[in-house]
Amino acid sequence: MDFEDTPEEAAFRAEAHKWLSAHAKPRRKREDRDLEEMENGASVDMAASKAWQKEKAKAGYARITWPKGMGGMGGTPMQSIIFGQEESKFDVATGGPFAIGLGMCIPTLMAYGNEEAKKRYVWPAVQGDEIWCQLFSEPAGGSDVAGLRTKAEKDGDEWVINGQKIWTTGAQFSDYGILLTRTDPNVPKHKGLTMFYIDMHDPAVEVRPIKQASGGSGFNEVFFTNLRVKDSQRLGEVGQGWQVALTTLMHERLAVGGGQGGGIDSKELMRLARTLELEDGPALKNAAVREKIADWYVREAGLKYTTYRTMTALSQGKQPGPEASIAKIVVASKLQDVSAFATELEGEAGALQGADAPAHGMFQMGWLSAPGLRIAGGTDEILRNIIAERVLGLPQDIRVDKDVPFNKAPTGR
Amino acid sequence: MNFDFSDDQKMLRDQAHKFLSEKCTTKTVRKVFTSGDGYDKDLWKQIADMGWLGTAIPEEFGGLGLGYLELCVIAEELGRALAPVPFSSTVYLFAEAILAAGTDEQKKKYLPKIASGELIGTFARAEGAGAVTPKSIRTTFKGGKLSGKKIAVVDGMDADFAVVLARSSDDAGERGTALAIVDLKGSGVKRKAEDSIDPSRKHAAIEFDGASAEALGKAGEGWSIAANVLNRAAIMTAFEQVGGSDSCLAMAKDYAMQRYAFGRLIASYQAIKHKLADMYVNTELARSNAYYGAWALSTNARELPLAAAAARVSATQAFDYASKENIQTHGGIGFTWEADCHFYYKRSRELGLSLGPQRTWKEKLVSELEASNA
């Protein structure tokens, strides 16, 4: 048991570090941007992100596990992790606009698209020229994605699409999107879906930012009014959309680690507690504060070492165990609890936010964002269902709409 | 990155699992619960015959000389089976204290007998309710004689020898403490069985009235040696707690997959599914913290005190949650004496208290964080 690289991993790390040193400057301070992106996706420095993506694509570092000539180098998932670790030490524009397209949309296109489409779209996406978004969630289908209503009707060699998507990350700067639609309302809900890819610049597509409860705008609503797409833009068979969507979502779950709640953790809480006085003296000496720090620390450490277990499996060329699925449940509610507790310590000043608040309002921002994090990408409840059903093998809840034609299923309206 | 047990260690875990699932069922636990015996003597003998007691004891002292990673995988299986044997007090505490502070002569005297199963040992610390602090230690060890009273000594009735935390000078702080090894069958020692919350791990009150004892380590270092031994024991105990949590989750799942209510399996209700998912999340967090502890233990890392405290708190929380929600998942039947659920509920609390409560370990954890972030 150790935390060392294998000789091959060490060699790859050295090589990656050398390449990074030649192409970027070391990072000066730690940065956690996941909350900021959720709050304000549009503030991403797009030109810098695209330039850096292009640089990586040329060298095969953009999608390490993908084949050569597709922006990759036919590498291992572990090499991808190692590159990410090294990259985080440099002052470069990472993450943001490419994660969804390259992590989910393009793999779906690669699995179901025709040769022409792959030739046309994969490389521009890998090198950052074109950005993709994923159009699944709807006002009537969030956790129950298969309950979506956006309608696609066949008209000759084309499809006419009408409806609305919501909570679409990055739609405002996307060039293309993969779109899940209902093509047959007369069959049960999972059987009447079909997937397409669409041009986000088509005038029949309208993107409107959502103003979140936290004040920011990281997500969008997307409206389709008589959007016409060619049948050749269909991914998978008509009525096979759900299976195609599962491919997309499977790629989502392969991502290792993930955000840690904007860096708001027991360490930041300790830093705050060092600066504050409570009724009985320094906050850091208060027993209730110390107990909370310990509670949250053990969850953070537990997650960190769970990630190490996952990485170990990848390093040994094995499939990671199901333990990798616990991260978001732990992170999201902990963010909410840590930030609320921090505002308790700040006392009446805790009611302020932004520059007026203690610690530049980081805990207020965490607290305001936390409800969103507990919902986005699978609610706490859906994630618990997934663990219960896929990891523990418990049965699905009884679904009253399962064998009923979609247009006969109860909707409450 | 190689943050996992080796194939050999996993094979040892599988062997331990197979052996204990045959030789130590909940019937074995129930027998000790209801008998006057402090532990299952047959099981203890077989465990000794397999060499588990000497897993981490060097070969020169009669052990197998394997290591702590091997001991951790065995601990996980002992915890999973709720093995009613004095393993933790003998191996994690007594043997570790001798290994940490014993002279060569003491190691030669005690360790081979531990490895062979001839000697049961324990570690006596508490003297009353509340926290064990240097100030709370009133038992004295002066001029080779031990006087005072210890309570809630795990396996205290069956142990042959105990390491005792005592006061060796008038200094009320840590520097006034020392450790002593005492023969519990010798003169000047009186013991009385105490009712334990977990009858498969029996406790005793032990009174010393000028009992002859030998020093373990230097006078004045008792507290610091004890702290180190407790840290190490906490990591191995965390593996027992993780094993116990796994058992609770498996039991709760099995029951939920058989029991019908309102015309359907209770495992199909989200109220049950989410409860079991939370058991799984807590147990995996605890397992990962325990793994880190095992790494620290096996490498004697500088991070050991922090790793031990985190493993301890995380595993105690996981086992507490899993054992109480296992009863809840079972409903009324789970609260009967005949069902096995209460064995885990009781073991969980016993393990959660015997090396000191969560509160104490959380305080240690934050002190370590303060020191490392300073």
Side-chain angles (χ1 to χ4, degrees):
Chain A
M1 197 180 266
D2 62 62
F3 303 104
E4 308 304 320
D5 286 335
T6 64
E8 295 78 19
E9 287 164 0
F12 179 82
R13 190 183 294 279
E15 196 184 303
H17 193 89
K18 194 173 147 203
W19 183 85
L20 284 158
S21 303
H23 292 83
K25 289 194 171 55
R27 190 183 288 286
R28 272 157 310 200
K29 64 179 180 66
R30 191 173 74 123
E31 231 179 324
D32 287 289
R33 302 206 314 187
D34 51 338
L35 281 190
E36 201 186 313
E37 273 171 24
M38 190 168 90
E39 272 309 289
N40 229 331
S43 74
V44 172
D45 183 344
M46 193 58 72
S49 292
K50 286 188 168 185
W52 179 237
Q53 186 70 15
K54 188 163 283 182
E55 201 72 63
K56 286 195 289 184
K58 273 191 286 183
Y61 287 123
R63 299 303 292 173
I64 286 166
T65 57
W66 289 9
K68 278 188 184 147
M70 283 185 140
M73 50 174 66
T76 65
M78 196 59 204
Q79 289 178 334
S80 190
I81 291 169
I82 290 172
F83 184 82
Q85 289 171 340
E86 294 304 313
E87 189 183 25
S88 71
K89 298 173 188 164
F90 288 83
D91 189 19
V92 290
T94 57
F98 309 110
I100 289 173
L102 298 178
M104 299 165 73
C105 305
I106 296 296
T108 308
L109 187 88
M110 283 159 81
Y112 291 97
N114 57 37
E115 287 312 309
E116 204 178 323
K118 285 188 231 177
K119 209 172 271 173
R120 162 64 187 83
Y121 294 107
V122 174
W123 180 247
V126 170
Q127 67 165 353
D129 288 340
E130 291 173 354
I131 295 175
W132 286 65
C133 61
Q134 183 233 78
L135 300 146
F136 286 11
S137 291
E138 292 192 12
S143 290
D144 181 13
V145 173
L148 61 87
R149 291 150 182 249
T150 291
K151 198 163 56 174
E153 290 165 303
K154 192 87 192 278
D155 181 20
D157 194 30
E158 291 186 332
W159 294 82
V160 182
I161 297 173
N162 283 283
Q164 182 199 347
K165 296 288 171 178
I166 196 169
W167 300 116
T168 313
T169 306
Q172 72 273 38
F173 42 66
S174 284
D175 302 293
Y176 296 93
I178 59 172
L179 174 67
L180 190 58
T181 63
R182 182 160 308 282
T183 43
D184 186 356
N186 300 306
V187 294
K189 66 179 181 183
H190 290 100
K191 294 179 178 151
L193 303 175
T194 304
M195 187 81 82
F196 299 93
Y197 65 87
I198 64 161
D199 178 357
M200 291 294 287
H201 299 297
D202 192 299
V205 178
E206 187 196 350
V207 176
R208 292 184 205 157
I210 298 170
K211 183 158 186 180
Q212 291 151 215
S214 47
S217 289
F219 303 92
N220 305 276
E221 292 180 288
V222 183
F223 296 85
F224 312 100
T225 312
N226 294 321
L227 169 67
R228 300 188 78 89
V229 304
K230 295 196 184 77
D231 189 53
S232 59
Q233 288 170 246
R234 178 163 47 77
L235 296 172
E237 300 302 316
V238 174
Q240 203 198 355
W242 185 247
Q243 284 71 30
V244 180
L246 289 180
T247 310
T248 312
L249 297 171
M250 188 186 72
H251 282 281
E252 181 177 31
R253 274 191 288 276
L254 284 179
V256 175
Q260 292 287 308
I264 293 177
D265 54 15
S266 60
K267 200 170 185 176
E268 287 300 337
L269 185 62
M270 273 184 90
R271 192 169 296 168
L272 176 75
R274 278 182 204 281
T275 67
L276 299 179
E277 283 285 320
L278 303 181
E279 291 79 356
D280 56 352
L284 193 51
K285 294 296 161 198
N286 180 286
V289 174
R290 295 172 81 80
E291 173 150 31
K292 291 287 192 186
I293 289 170
D295 279 332
W296 290 318
Y297 175 83
V298 302
R299 292 182 88 71
E300 290 154 11
L303 273 188
K304 176 176 164 189
Y305 300 123
T306 299
T307 306
Y308 283 12
R309 286 166 59 200
T310 304
M311 283 163 56
T312 298
L314 292 174
S315 173
Q316 295 171 352
K318 298 177 192 156
Q319 277 286 353
E323 64 275 359
S325 62
I326 68 178
K328 210 200 94 171
I329 296 180
V330 176
V331 167
S333 63
K334 188 172 64 64
L335 169 67
Q336 197 163 37
D337 295 346
V338 172
S339 19
F341 187 74
T343 65
E344 285 276 322
L345 297 187
E346 291 168 355
E348 292 172 41
L352 304 173
Q353 65 169 325
D356 293 332
H360 305 289
M362 73 178 291
F363 296 106
Q364 285 73 14
M365 182 170 149
W367 179 80
L368 286 165
S369 306
L373 196 62
R374 289 186 55 197
I375 295 164
T379 63
D380 284 1
E381 291 72 23
I382 288 292
L383 295 178
R384 283 184 170 83
N385 282 350
I386 289 173
I387 289 175
E389 290 167 19
R390 304 213 186 128
V391 179
L392 303 177
L394 304 183
Q396 285 191 342
D397 208 333
I398 289 181
R399 300 189 172 181
V400 296
D401 59 356
K402 198 168 183 183
D403 299 315
V404 182
F406 180 72
N407 54 14
K408 299 277 189 316
T411 62
R413 55 182 148 153
Chain B
M1 180 70 58
N2 178 25
F3 189 54
D4 196 2
F5 291 97
S6 69
D7 287 345
D8 283 349
Q9 287 152 359
K10 286 179 188 167
M11 201 193 291
L12 177 63
R13 173 164 57 198
D14 292 345
Q15 284 166 357
H17 181 76
K18 187 163 178 289
F19 169 79
L20 288 166
S21 51
E22 284 165 17
K23 309 286 182 181
C24 181
T25 65
T26 50
K27 284 198 183 87
T28 320
V29 180
R30 187 171 292 276
K31 211 172 73 197
V32 175
F33 248 73
T34 48
S35 76
D37 293 340
Y39 64 101
D40 188 300
K41 295 195 168 63
D42 288 345
L43 183 63
W44 183 243
K45 185 170 182 314
Q46 293 178 75
I47 283 175
D49 289 346
M50 282 188 300
W52 291 2
L53 300 170
T55 306
I57 294 175
E59 282 174 287
E60 58 171 316
F61 301 117
L64 297 180
L66 287 170
Y68 289 95
L69 295 176
E70 286 76 9
L71 196 47
C72 286
V73 299
I74 291 173
E76 185 175 340
E77 295 311 317
L78 291 168
R80 192 184 310 280
L82 298 179
V85 287
F87 196 93
S88 54
S89 33
T90 303
V91 177
Y92 314 156
L93 291 167
F94 188 82
E96 281 299 311
I98 305 285
L99 279 164
T103 60
D104 221 38
E105 201 180 321
Q106 287 169 328
K107 288 179 186 168
K108 278 183 196 141
K109 180 174 169 191
Y110 297 106
L111 296 177
K113 287 187 177 166
I114 292 172
S116 66
E118 290 164 74
L119 186 157
I120 293 174
T122 188
F123 189 15
R125 301 188 312 125
E127 303 189 3
V132 177
T133 60
K135 214 174 117 193
S136 77
I137 305 298
R138 300 220 168 86
T139 296
T140 58
F141 177 54
K142 283 175 184 164
K145 302 288 180 195
L146 202 54
S147 294
K149 186 179 174 184
K150 294 289 178 183
I151 59 146
V153 182
V154 186
D155 300 309
M157 292 306 285
D158 295 299
D160 303 295
F161 286 86
V163 170
V164 178
L165 181 58
R167 177 156 303 292
S168 55
S169 79
D170 296 335
D171 184 334
E174 287 183 30
R175 305 291 303 168
T177 59
L179 295 178
I181 311 173
V182 61
D183 180 351
L184 294 174
K185 289 171 178 152
S187 65
V189 180
K190 260 198 292 193
R191 349 185 208 184
K192 185 170 113 343
E194 291 184 303
D195 243 349
S196 164
I197 197 170
D198 172 12
S200 67
R201 303 293 290 118
K202 295 203 166 49
H203 290 59
I206 309 181
E207 234 176 298
F208 304 103
D209 184 11
S212 293
E214 56 177 315
L216 177 65
K218 291 193 190 114
E221 291 181 0
W223 186 263
S224 63
I225 299 167
N228 180 35
V229 170
L230 287 172
N231 283 340
R232 300 171 74 83
I235 293 165
M236 296 180 260
T237 303
F239 276 89
E240 288 202 8
Q241 292 167 306
V242 166
S245 306
D246 276 345
S247 288
C248 292
L249 178 53
M251 269 181 92
K253 182 190 152 182
D254 283 352
Y255 187 75
M257 293 294 280
Q258 294 167 23
R259 174 76 175 179
Y260 277 74
F262 306 103
R264 57 195 256 212
L265 273 181
I266 64 167
S268 69
Y269 290 102
Q270 291 194 354
I272 297 293
K273 288 162 78 169
H274 290 188
K275 194 189 283 306
L276 268 53
D278 283 338
M279 281 190 204
Y280 175 79
V281 169
N282 291 338
T283 306
E284 289 310 309
L285 292 174
R287 193 187 316 280
S288 298
N289 278 312
Y291 275 34
Y292 185 62
W295 167 79
L297 196 57
S298 68
T299 54
N300 232 336
R302 193 166 40 89
E303 295 87 345
L304 192 143
L306 178 61
R312 170 76 178 163
V313 171
S314 195
T316 301
Q317 292 178 343
F319 198 10
D320 275 356
Y321 183 79
S323 63
K324 72 181 181 179
E325 298 307 326
N326 180 35
I327 297 181
Q328 190 69 16
T329 303
H330 279 71
I333 192 79
F335 189 57
T336 63
W337 186 260
E338 286 73 23
D340 293 336
C341 301
H342 65 114
F343 297 159
Y344 298 88
Y345 187 63
K346 291 168 182 175
R347 178 64 65 85
S348 162
R349 212 67 299 264
E350 198 276 332
L351 289 179
L353 295 173
S354 62
L355 300 175
Q358 269 192 72
R359 202 195 59 254
T360 303
W361 288 94
K362 287 178 179 175
E363 178 48 44
K364 284 195 202 195
L365 192 159
V366 178
S367 299
E368 289 294 330
L369 287 178
E370 277 183 290
S372 64
N373 291 345

